[in-house]
């Protein structure tokens, strides 16, 4: 129990430290990304998301920029990544064949519809277009037979970097439903 309290305190400190940032993200979302404009407010079902906009131009510009990220970085009709080592001069034919196989295998895993890779990266592209950052997690799917990619709302995640700029600690606030918890317990 003594190791849990410092983790909770650190989590609360990180979320408290970024409170002023939530106001900025809320203002940005109100103008450019109304679908994500719930950083500091709670929207009700059926509430008009973009009622305060004078023009749809900022929303359209963000949408076009987010869509352009995906089209440029991950064209689905093209192999946009290849597995490599950091020492290509040491690779022989067998190594190259295995790396080619591994790359095709990884692509199949990522583009499996259950993995939701396309959905998560599309959401992340739009978060990045609006806020300059996005949070994606990669984990095992509930059936434990593939991956699951998810894009998380920036409101629910706080992280910490070390002196080299590497993210070392991530906290995510999550409010699961009872049915989600029961489904997880059954697995």
């Amino acid at each position: 129990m003594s190791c849990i309290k410092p983790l909770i305190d650190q989590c609360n400190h990180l979320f408290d430290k970024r409170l002023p940032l939530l106001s900025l993200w809320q203002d940005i979302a109100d103008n450019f990304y109304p679908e994500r404009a719930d950083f500091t407010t709670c929207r009700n079902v059926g509430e008009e998301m973009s009622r305060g906009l004078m023009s749809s131009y900022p929303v359209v510009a963000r949408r076009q920029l987010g869509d352009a990220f995906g089209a440029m970085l991950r064209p689905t009709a093209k192999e946009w990544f290849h597995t490599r080592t950091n020492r290509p001069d040491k690779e022989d034919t067998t190594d190259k064949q295995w790396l080619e196989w591994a790359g095709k295998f990884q692509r199949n895993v990522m583009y499996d519809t259950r993995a939701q890779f396309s959905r998560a990266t599309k959401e992340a592209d739009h978060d990045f277009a609006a806020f300059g950052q996005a949070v994606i997690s990669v984990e095992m799917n509930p059936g434990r037979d593939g991956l699951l990619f998810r894009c998380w709302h920036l409101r629910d995640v706080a992280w910490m970097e070390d002196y080299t700029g590497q993210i070392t600690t991530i906290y995510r606030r999550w409010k699961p439903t009872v049915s989600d918890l029961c489904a997880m317990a059954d697995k």
Side-chain angles (χ1 to χ4, degrees):
M1 190 68 175
S2 62
C3 64
I4 295 174
K5 182 160 176 27
L7 289 175
I8 292 171
D9 291 343
Q10 184 180 49
C11 173
N12 290 334
H13 172 73
L14 289 174
F15 275 97
D16 290 345
K17 190 175 171 182
R18 70 180 192 115
L19 276 175
L21 188 57
L22 293 180
S23 297
L24 172 64
W25 285 341
Q26 181 68 39
D27 289 342
I28 291 170
D30 284 337
N31 290 298
F32 293 94
Y33 201 1
E35 303 95 272
R36 283 278 211 213
D38 53 356
F39 287 94
T40 60
T41 62
C42 182
R43 288 196 323 235
N44 297 317
V45 175
E47 186 178 332
E48 180 62 41
M49 288 186 293
S50 55
R51 67 178 177 274
L53 289 178
M54 299 296 282
S55 166
S56 64
Y57 182 77
V59 175
V60 171
R62 186 262 318 148
R63 187 178 308 133
Q64 289 176 342
L65 179 60
D67 290 343
F69 289 155
M72 289 185 296
L73 297 174
R74 294 176 311 280
T76 53
K78 182 180 175 187
E79 288 190 27
W80 52 268
F81 74 90
H82 303 281
T83 51
R84 302 266 193 270
T85 66
N86 60 354
R87 297 291 308 270
D89 56 314
K90 301 286 185 187
E91 295 173 8
D92 63 12
T93 306
T94 307
D95 297 335
K96 289 179 183 178
Q97 289 172 342
W98 187 88
L99 289 169
E100 185 177 330
W101 171 83
K104 288 178 182 174
F105 183 81
Q106 179 66 34
R107 181 178 174 81
N108 289 338
V109 169
M110 289 166 56
Y111 282 103
D112 180 348
T113 55
R114 296 172 301 156
Q116 299 185 33
F117 174 78
S118 296
R119 175 186 174 176
T121 54
K122 186 170 187 69
E123 288 177 15
D125 290 339
H126 288 275
D127 280 354
F128 190 79
F131 311 111
Q133 54 196 325
V135 178
I136 294 181
S137 68
V138 183
E139 52 205 70
M140 293 297 295
N141 67 17
R144 299 265 184 230
D145 58 354
L147 297 178
L148 176 62
F149 294 81
R150 294 197 264 185
C151 179
W152 298 100
H153 199 301
L154 291 172
R155 163 201 66 215
D156 300 327
V157 184
W159 57 90
M160 190 168 58
E161 298 176 353
D162 67 9
Y163 68 96
T164 65
Q166 297 293 314
I167 295 175
T168 57
T169 308
I170 301 171
Y171 293 101
R172 182 172 54 89
R173 290 189 172 157
W174 180 48
K175 295 177 184 172
T177 63
V178 172
S179 60
D180 286 341
L181 292 174
C182 290
M184 289 173 59
D186 291 340
K187 297 294 176 184

PDB file of all heavy atoms in Angstrom, residues 172-183:
ATOM      1  N   ARG A 172      -3.731   7.762 -17.114  1.00  0.00           N
ATOM      2  CA  ARG A 172      -4.966   7.945 -17.866  1.00  0.00           C
ATOM      3  C   ARG A 172      -6.138   7.785 -16.926  1.00  0.00           C
ATOM      4  O   ARG A 172      -6.237   6.798 -16.198  1.00  0.00           O
ATOM      5  CB  ARG A 172      -5.066   6.918 -18.995  1.00  0.00           C
ATOM      6  CG  ARG A 172      -6.301   7.084 -19.849  1.00  0.00           C
ATOM      7  CD  ARG A 172      -6.285   6.178 -21.065  1.00  0.00           C
ATOM      8  NE  ARG A 172      -6.087   4.792 -20.773  1.00  0.00           N
ATOM      9  CZ  ARG A 172      -7.066   3.928 -20.520  1.00  0.00           C
ATOM     10  NH1 ARG A 172      -8.323   4.337 -20.507  1.00  0.00           N
ATOM     11  NH2 ARG A 172      -6.804   2.669 -20.273  1.00  0.00           N
ATOM     12  N   ARG A 173      -7.016   8.769 -16.928  1.00  0.00           N
ATOM     13  CA  ARG A 173      -8.238   8.678 -16.140  1.00  0.00           C
ATOM     14  C   ARG A 173      -9.297   8.010 -17.001  1.00  0.00           C
ATOM     15  O   ARG A 173      -9.516   8.389 -18.144  1.00  0.00           O
ATOM     16  CB  ARG A 173      -8.690  10.063 -15.694  1.00  0.00           C
ATOM     17  CG  ARG A 173      -7.759  10.633 -14.646  1.00  0.00           C
ATOM     18  CD  ARG A 173      -8.290  11.878 -14.030  1.00  0.00           C
ATOM     19  NE  ARG A 173      -7.442  12.266 -12.909  1.00  0.00           N
ATOM     20  CZ  ARG A 173      -7.374  13.491 -12.443  1.00  0.00           C
ATOM     21  NH1 ARG A 173      -8.088  14.454 -12.979  1.00  0.00           N
ATOM     22  NH2 ARG A 173      -6.588  13.753 -11.419  1.00  0.00           N
ATOM     23  N   TRP A 174      -9.939   7.028 -16.429  1.00  0.00           N
ATOM     24  CA  TRP A 174     -10.878   6.205 -17.174  1.00  0.00           C
ATOM     25  C   TRP A 174     -12.083   5.921 -16.302  1.00  0.00           C
ATOM     26  O   TRP A 174     -11.940   5.591 -15.124  1.00  0.00           O
ATOM     27  CB  TRP A 174     -10.167   4.911 -17.575  1.00  0.00           C
ATOM     28  CG  TRP A 174     -10.955   3.931 -18.342  1.00  0.00           C
ATOM     29  CD1 TRP A 174     -11.737   4.171 -19.434  1.00  0.00           C
ATOM     30  CD2 TRP A 174     -11.010   2.525 -18.102  1.00  0.00           C
ATOM     31  NE1 TRP A 174     -12.275   3.008 -19.898  1.00  0.00           N
ATOM     32  CE2 TRP A 174     -11.849   1.966 -19.104  1.00  0.00           C
ATOM     33  CE3 TRP A 174     -10.437   1.684 -17.164  1.00  0.00           C
ATOM     34  CZ2 TRP A 174     -12.126   0.617 -19.166  1.00  0.00           C
ATOM     35  CZ3 TRP A 174     -10.710   0.339 -17.240  1.00  0.00           C
ATOM     36  CH2 TRP A 174     -11.547  -0.183 -18.229  1.00  0.00           C
ATOM     37  N   LYS A 175     -13.267   6.066 -16.863  1.00  0.00           N
ATOM     38  CA  LYS A 175     -14.500   5.778 -16.145  1.00  0.00           C
ATOM     39  C   LYS A 175     -15.222   4.661 -16.876  1.00  0.00           C
ATOM     40  O   LYS A 175     -16.091   4.903 -17.720  1.00  0.00           O
ATOM     41  CB  LYS A 175     -15.373   7.030 -16.078  1.00  0.00           C
ATOM     42  CG  LYS A 175     -14.765   8.156 -15.282  1.00  0.00           C
ATOM     43  CD  LYS A 175     -15.633   9.388 -15.313  1.00  0.00           C
ATOM     44  CE  LYS A 175     -14.935  10.526 -14.582  1.00  0.00           C
ATOM     45  NZ  LYS A 175     -15.645  11.788 -14.743  1.00  0.00           N
ATOM     46  N   PRO A 176     -14.844   3.421 -16.580  1.00  0.00           N
ATOM     47  CA  PRO A 176     -15.484   2.299 -17.284  1.00  0.00           C
ATOM     48  C   PRO A 176     -16.921   2.099 -16.815  1.00  0.00           C
ATOM     49  O   PRO A 176     -17.281   2.426 -15.688  1.00  0.00           O
ATOM     50  CB  PRO A 176     -14.619   1.102 -16.884  1.00  0.00           C
ATOM     51  CG  PRO A 176     -14.061   1.478 -15.552  1.00  0.00           C
ATOM     52  CD  PRO A 176     -13.866   2.973 -15.596  1.00  0.00           C
ATOM     53  N   THR A 177     -17.714   1.544 -17.703  1.00  0.00           N
ATOM     54  CA  THR A 177     -19.073   1.167 -17.329  1.00  0.00           C
ATOM     55  C   THR A 177     -19.007  -0.183 -16.624  1.00  0.00           C
ATOM     56  O   THR A 177     -18.012  -0.908 -16.718  1.00  0.00           O
ATOM     57  CB  THR A 177     -19.977   1.058 -18.569  1.00  0.00           C
ATOM     58  OG1 THR A 177     -19.466   0.010 -19.402  1.00  0.00           O
ATOM     59  CG2 THR A 177     -20.025   2.363 -19.342  1.00  0.00           C
ATOM     60  N   VAL A 178     -20.071  -0.533 -15.938  1.00  0.00           N
ATOM     61  CA  VAL A 178     -20.136  -1.821 -15.251  1.00  0.00           C
ATOM     62  C   VAL A 178     -20.027  -2.953 -16.264  1.00  0.00           C
ATOM     63  O   VAL A 178     -19.338  -3.947 -16.030  1.00  0.00           O
ATOM     64  CB  VAL A 178     -21.440  -1.931 -14.428  1.00  0.00           C
ATOM     65  CG1 VAL A 178     -21.610  -3.325 -13.861  1.00  0.00           C
ATOM     66  CG2 VAL A 178     -21.441  -0.895 -13.312  1.00  0.00           C
ATOM     67  N   SER A 179     -20.659  -2.791 -17.411  1.00  0.00           N
ATOM     68  CA  SER A 179     -20.587  -3.854 -18.432  1.00  0.00           C
ATOM     69  C   SER A 179     -19.166  -4.001 -18.971  1.00  0.00           C
ATOM     70  O   SER A 179     -18.739  -5.127 -19.262  1.00  0.00           O
ATOM     71  CB  SER A 179     -21.570  -3.578 -19.565  1.00  0.00           C
ATOM     72  OG  SER A 179     -21.295  -2.356 -20.186  1.00  0.00           O
ATOM     73  N   ASP A 180     -18.412  -2.900 -19.092  1.00  0.00           N
ATOM     74  CA  ASP A 180     -17.015  -2.990 -19.510  1.00  0.00           C
ATOM     75  C   ASP A 180     -16.200  -3.771 -18.480  1.00  0.00           C
ATOM     76  O   ASP A 180     -15.392  -4.635 -18.837  1.00  0.00           O
ATOM     77  CB  ASP A 180     -16.386  -1.601 -19.681  1.00  0.00           C
ATOM     78  CG  ASP A 180     -16.874  -0.885 -20.930  1.00  0.00           C
ATOM     79  OD1 ASP A 180     -17.393  -1.560 -21.840  1.00  0.00           O
ATOM     80  OD2 ASP A 180     -16.731   0.343 -20.984  1.00  0.00           O
ATOM     81  N   LEU A 181     -16.403  -3.471 -17.217  1.00  0.00           N
ATOM     82  CA  LEU A 181     -15.655  -4.167 -16.159  1.00  0.00           C
ATOM     83  C   LEU A 181     -16.015  -5.652 -16.106  1.00  0.00           C
ATOM     84  O   LEU A 181     -15.145  -6.502 -15.926  1.00  0.00           O
ATOM     85  CB  LEU A 181     -15.911  -3.509 -14.813  1.00  0.00           C
ATOM     86  CG  LEU A 181     -15.343  -2.101 -14.640  1.00  0.00           C
ATOM     87  CD1 LEU A 181     -15.799  -1.498 -13.317  1.00  0.00           C
ATOM     88  CD2 LEU A 181     -13.838  -2.104 -14.736  1.00  0.00           C
ATOM     89  N   CYS A 182     -17.297  -5.957 -16.298  1.00  0.00           N
ATOM     90  CA  CYS A 182     -17.700  -7.373 -16.302  1.00  0.00           C
ATOM     91  C   CYS A 182     -17.089  -8.107 -17.486  1.00  0.00           C
ATOM     92  O   CYS A 182     -16.627  -9.243 -17.356  1.00  0.00           O
ATOM     93  CB  CYS A 182     -19.220  -7.486 -16.339  1.00  0.00           C
ATOM     94  SG  CYS A 182     -20.009  -6.961 -14.806  1.00  0.00           S
ATOM     95  N   ALA A 183     -17.058  -7.455 -18.661  1.00  0.00           N
ATOM     96  CA  ALA A 183     -16.482  -8.073 -19.849  1.00  0.00           C
ATOM     97  C   ALA A 183     -14.975  -8.313 -19.651  1.00  0.00           C
ATOM     98  O   ALA A 183     -14.443  -9.339 -20.063  1.00  0.00           O
ATOM     99  CB  ALA A 183     -16.725  -7.207 -21.081  1.00  0.00           C
TER     100      ALA A 183
END
